[in-house]
């Protein structure tokens, strides 16, 4: 199983292999390079995140035409698949950002053929799992046989299953009638402790940990109710925790699981509906659910299975990615990844739900509002586009071509010295930062709307988040998934008033002063005042991590937050900025 990629190409040619899919074919290398979707090292690492389904009991459908596997081998193959492969190829192996790996595709190729691709990878994007050392020769053989079996079916998760997990720990009537603590709630940071299944509530004024709250595994995001009282967090295991920030010591007051894997949650923000509803979207099953905002009681489940926006083919597991609450209408904006559809879900009447379906581009992922909070900007990351939704008019305003694999987080809004209001995204697949005009009604700057007005060169690909603040004149870009440790452990910062001079690199991990570890620097987040920027320095669970706080005016180290309880810190969400969509 050892050898170079050139040896792999020679072997493929000798065996007479032909292209079957983007993940198999050497013949498609030129095409992939041309369209910008070649999978970088950063993208491989990003897509390789484990799925909670690895631990679930799945129904096994035995395929008589597939090679033999013992029950123990099958279970091991299932675990490896969901830990490393499902992010690209989908739970049912019918294809997501990667191509299908169903028996009708894999069995005709045979075990030896598949071992070559799994072991050596392909220039078109398939990781070299064998030669990289990620999988042993025995595991490569096992996986070549596993993908020829009929895909095991995860269980569905409906109202009955949700209610079995639903707990109201403190009923609304028993909660405080007023704020019972002296914390400056607006400046609290909800900080994900990824691998410990917790969030740390950190006082932004004192830099002290207020409380460690038990949550689901690998919390993906934290969101605030319109009032700023309630904090909603959702883990990759689809568990939602509702935290009351008015309590003497803020803690859980309700919880629920809305599926087996998930990423998104938000709450109603339109006038008259503040705090009343919550919504969460699942990766599996492919659906979203509307809940009571004060108790998390599930009210309405909506499936997202349907036709893709481009080829009009049925997709069995289109995952729900970003969800945001509209400020202009009583609506949630629900983004469906694999079908490329954006749903404007009007929640005025849950019994007669009104959904406006907008066709955008496939593989919708993350995004945020422009400064006016009228236009939602969402990355269709594998399509290399930003979709712009006019939430007031209820339509698609534009599809904007950007760099390779945009991943903005929520993006960054600022006023450009030349082009006026812009929204920015960085990229996983290249070192560019795209600035898009966002003022279509402006007499001076309207001509720049929904165009990339300027492209900045940052320090590298592998970026996950870009951030600024209305009171700041700096723009921060992280690169935590860049394979170069010097880049993954630092951050690039631009002077908004002088973008042409390029970026300045800040050695955040060095400033942290922690020991051995990956020390990936991830997710810049401002405090409420906009004069501090917080960074996570993220190492393994058994290594020291930290939060580094930088003075935004001087770009100098302000303080380092260290604590044994800060286990794998990643996302940080300032209460005020998250509550009011400030970014």
């Amino acid at each position: 199983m050892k050898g170079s990629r050139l040896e792999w190409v020679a072997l493929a040619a000798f065996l007479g292999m032909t292209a079957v899919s983007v993940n198999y074919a050497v013949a498609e290398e030129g095409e992939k390079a041309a369209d910008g979707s070649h999978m970088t090292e950063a993208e491989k690492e990003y897509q390789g995140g484990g799925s909670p389904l690895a631990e679930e009991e799945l129904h096994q459908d035995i395929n008589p035409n597939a090679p033999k596997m013992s029950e123990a081998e099958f279970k091991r193959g299932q675990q490896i698949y969901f830990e490393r492969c499902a992010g690209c190829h989908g739970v049912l192996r019918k294809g997501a950002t990667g191509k299908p790996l169903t028996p009708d595709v894999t069995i005709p190729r045979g075990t030896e053929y598949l071992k070559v691709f799994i072991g050596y990878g392909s220039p078109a994007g398939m990781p070299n799992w064998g030669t990289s050392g990620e999988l042993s020769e025995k595991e490569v053989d096992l996986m070549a046989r596993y993908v020829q079996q009929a895909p095991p079916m995860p269980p569905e998760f409906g109202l009955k299953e949700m209610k079995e997990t639903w707990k109201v720990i403190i009923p609304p009537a028993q909660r405080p009638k007023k704020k019972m603590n002296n914390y400056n709630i607006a400046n609290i940071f909800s900080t994900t402790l990824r691998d410990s299944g917790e969030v740390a509530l950190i006082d932004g004024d004192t830099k002290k940990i207020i409380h460690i709250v038990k949550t689901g595994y690998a919390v993906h995001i934290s969101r605030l109710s319109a009032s700023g009282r309630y904090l909603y967090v959702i883990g990759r295991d689809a568990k939602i925790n509702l935290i009351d920030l008015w309590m003497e010591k803020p803690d859980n007051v309700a919880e629920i699981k809305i599926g087996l894997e998930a990423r998104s949650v938000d709450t109603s923000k339109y006038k008259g509906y503040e705090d009343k509803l919550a919504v969460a979207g699942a990766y599996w099953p492919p659906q979203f659910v509307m809940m009571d905002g004060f108790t998390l009681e599930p009210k309405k489940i909506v499936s997202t299975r349907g036709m893709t926006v481009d080829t009009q083919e049925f997709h069995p597991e289109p995952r729900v990615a970003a969800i945001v609450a509209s400020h202009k209408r009583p609506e949630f904006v629900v983004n469906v990844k694999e079908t490329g559809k954006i749903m404007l879900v009007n929640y005025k009447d849950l019994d007669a739900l009104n959904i406006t379906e907008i066709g955008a581009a496939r593989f919708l992922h993350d995004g945020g509002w422009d400064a006016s909070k009228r236009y939602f900007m969402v990355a269709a990351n594998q399509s290399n586009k930003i979709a712009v939704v006019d939430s007031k008019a209820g339509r698609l305003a534009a599809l904007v071509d950007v760099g390779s694999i945009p991943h903005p987080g929520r993006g960054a809004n600022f006023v450009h010295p030349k082009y006026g209001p812009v929204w920015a995204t960085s990229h996983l697949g290249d070192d560019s930062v795209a600035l898009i005009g966002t003022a279509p009604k402006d007499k001076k700057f309207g001509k720049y709307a929904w165009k990339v007005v300027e492209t900045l060169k940052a320090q590298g690909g592998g970026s996950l988040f870009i951030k600024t603040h209305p009171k700041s004149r700096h723009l921060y870009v992280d690169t935590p998934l860049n394979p170069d440790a010097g880049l993954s452990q630092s951050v690039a910062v631009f002077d908004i008033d002088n973008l042409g001079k390029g970026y300045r690199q800040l050695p955040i991990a060095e400033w942290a002063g922690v020991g051995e570890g990956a020390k990936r620097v991830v997710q810049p987040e401002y405090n409420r005042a906009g004069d501090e920027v917080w960074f996570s320095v993220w190492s393994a669970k058994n290594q020291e991590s930290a939060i580094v706080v930088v003075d935004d005016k001087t770009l100098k180290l302000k303080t380092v937050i260290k604590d044994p309880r800060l286990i794998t810190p990643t996302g940080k969400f300032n209460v005020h900025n998250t509550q009011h969509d400030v970014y």
Side-chain angles (χ1 to χ4, degrees):
M1 296 302 293
K2 296 187 182 295
S4 68
R5 284 184 179 258
L6 288 176
E7 289 172 332
W8 178 85
V9 173
L11 176 61
F14 176 76
L15 294 176
M17 297 177 179
T18 56
V20 179
S21 76
V22 66
N23 296 80
Y24 296 154
V26 170
E28 293 189 7
E29 180 180 7
E31 178 184 341
K32 295 297 289 184
D35 69 12
S37 54
H38 176 81
M39 190 179 289
T40 64
E41 290 300 319
E43 174 68 353
K44 291 174 188 176
E45 187 166 0
Y46 176 72
Q47 293 286 4
S51 164
L53 288 169
E55 305 300 324
E56 293 292 330
E57 285 293 330
L58 275 64
H59 173 67
Q60 179 181 354
D61 182 10
I62 298 173
N63 188 328
N65 297 319
K68 292 183 178 179
M69 296 189 80
S70 68
E71 183 177 351
E73 285 181 319
F74 186 89
K75 286 186 176 180
R76 175 59 179 152
Q78 173 184 305
Q79 180 183 14
I80 292 173
Y81 181 82
F82 284 105
E83 286 178 349
R84 303 181 185 273
C85 314
C88 273
H89 299 286
V91 168
L92 303 179
R93 304 211 310 263
K94 291 181 179 291
T97 52
K99 292 294 182 177
L101 291 176
T102 44
D104 59 311
V105 173
T106 56
I107 288 177
R109 271 72 205 170
T111 301
E112 293 304 315
Y113 177 92
L114 294 169
K115 282 166 66 176
V116 171
F117 282 101
I118 295 170
Y120 288 87
S122 92
M126 179 72 171
N128 55 324
W129 295 112
T131 57
S132 69
E134 295 279 350
L135 297 180
S136 67
E137 186 172 347
K138 184 177 180 180
E139 288 172 326
V140 168
D141 175 77
L142 183 149
M143 293 308 296
R145 288 180 288 130
Y146 176 81
V147 296
Q148 296 176 71
Q149 315 296 319
M153 177 65 71
E156 296 294 325
F157 208 89
L159 187 64
K160 175 179 177 291
E161 289 77 15
M162 289 184 196
K163 287 199 169 183
E164 287 173 353
T165 72
W166 173 49
K167 297 178 183 177
V168 179
I169 301 164
I170 302 178
Q174 297 176 21
R175 295 174 196 168
K177 306 303 180 189
K178 62 180 181 179
K179 189 163 82 78
M180 301 299 291
N181 58 63
N182 294 321
Y183 300 118
N184 178 9
I185 286 178
N187 202 33
I188 288 175
F189 287 75
S190 175
T191 303
T192 297
L193 306 181
R194 188 186 186 281
D195 293 342
S196 66
E198 299 168 323
V199 295
L201 302 180
I202 303 178
D203 187 327
D205 295 344
T206 67
K207 314 299 188 291
K208 302 295 184 183
I209 295 176
I210 295 169
H211 190 41
I212 302 289
V213 181
K214 292 291 183 183
T215 62
Y217 170 72
V219 165
H220 195 67
I221 58 171
S222 298
R223 291 291 182 261
L224 271 297
S225 65
S227 68
R229 173 177 180 172
Y230 290 108
L231 174 68
Y232 301 77
V233 298
I234 188 166
R236 287 194 174 205
D237 59 358
K239 183 178 180 181
I240 302 172
N241 291 82
L242 177 60
I243 299 168
D244 186 354
L245 297 177
W246 277 16
M247 294 169 63
E248 185 174 355
K249 180 180 286 186
D251 208 340
N252 288 315
V253 293
E255 63 181 44
I256 192 173
K257 273 179 67 73
I258 56 93
L260 300 176
E261 184 173 3
R263 296 293 188 278
S264 52
V265 67
D266 212 337
T267 70
S268 50
K269 293 184 176 178
Y270 187 69
K271 186 176 181 179
Y273 293 89
E274 296 93 338
D275 294 23
K276 291 185 178 179
L277 287 173
V279 61
Y283 268 27
W284 187 268
Q287 61 193 29
F288 61 91
V289 57
M290 318 280 272
M291 298 162 285
D292 182 282
F294 301 103
T295 66
L296 300 182
E297 180 183 4
K299 297 290 189 181
K300 183 81 171 182
I301 303 171
V302 180
S303 173
T304 55
R305 292 176 171 105
M307 314 306 284
T308 61
V309 71
D310 44 11
T311 57
Q312 299 288 296
E313 295 174 286
F314 179 76
H315 200 292
E317 54 169 307
R319 300 173 286 185
V320 178
I323 299 178
V324 295
S326 174
H327 298 263
K328 305 298 180 182
R329 289 180 171 183
E331 289 180 341
F332 292 122
V333 183
V334 178
N335 297 273
V336 186
K337 197 176 183 81
E338 277 73 28
T339 56
K341 293 178 180 178
I342 299 168
M343 297 179 173
L344 305 183
V345 183
N346 189 298
Y347 49 71
K348 288 179 68 174
D349 186 348
L350 297 187
D351 293 324
L353 207 60
N354 185 3
I355 300 177
T356 300
E357 185 179 279
I358 298 173
R362 293 187 71 183
F363 311 117
L364 298 165
H365 189 66
D366 58 346
W369 296 104
D370 79 309
S372 74
K373 299 182 177 61
R374 172 172 176 171
Y375 299 97
F376 180 64
M377 320 281 287
V378 59
N381 53 21
Q382 293 291 339
S383 297
N384 300 333
K385 297 179 186 296
I386 298 295
V388 183
V389 176
D390 184 340
S391 68
K392 186 175 181 180
R395 63 178 181 84
L396 185 71
L399 280 175
V400 185
D401 292 317
V402 291
S404 176
I405 317 170
H407 195 288
R410 307 202 82 180
N413 290 298
F414 62 92
V415 177
H416 191 284
K418 180 178 179 180
Y419 301 109
V422 297
W423 178 90
T425 182
S426 51
H427 298 81
L428 264 167
D430 64 37
D431 61 4
S432 69
V433 175
L435 310 184
I436 300 170
T438 60
K441 306 294 185 181
D442 191 279
K443 291 182 180 179
K444 182 177 180 181
F445 301 115
K447 60 185 176 182
Y448 302 124
W450 320 139
K451 298 176 183 177
V452 175
V453 296
E454 186 172 357
T455 300
L456 309 177
K457 181 180 175 60
Q459 63 179 4
S463 176
L464 292 180
F465 297 99
I466 185 169
K467 189 62 68 79
T468 189
H469 187 278
K471 295 182 180 179
S472 172
R473 298 307 290 170
H474 288 127
L475 177 68
Y476 297 85
V477 185
D478 69 11
T479 45
L481 296 187
N482 195 288
D484 184 330
L487 302 185
S488 66
Q489 296 180 6
S490 62
V491 67
V493 55
F494 292 86
D495 180 348
I496 289 173
D497 296 316
N498 194 359
L499 294 168
K501 73 177 182 182
Y503 64 86
R504 174 178 169 182
Q505 187 184 68
L506 302 184
I508 302 296
E510 179 184 325
W511 288 348
V514 296
E516 295 296 320
K519 294 180 281 193
R520 293 188 177 101
V521 175
V522 63
Q523 205 230 12
E525 177 75 348
Y526 282 82
N527 64 345
R528 178 182 180 176
D531 58 10
E532 291 178 354
V533 190
W534 292 36
F535 299 90
S536 296
V537 180
W538 169 27
S539 287
K541 187 175 182 179
N542 61 345
Q543 295 170 322
E544 188 178 24
S545 294
I547 304 293
V548 171
V549 181
V550 173
D551 187 302
D552 180 61
K553 296 290 189 292
T554 64
L555 300 183
K556 292 182 179 180
L557 175 64
K558 190 167 184 178
T559 190
V560 178
I561 304 172
K562 292 183 181 180
D563 191 293
R565 296 173 292 173
L566 285 178
I567 300 169
T568 59
T570 53
K572 302 162 300 303
F573 302 88
N574 176 267
V575 166
H576 178 268
N577 294 339
T578 306
Q579 175 190 359
H580 296 285
D581 291 310
V582 176
Y583 37 80

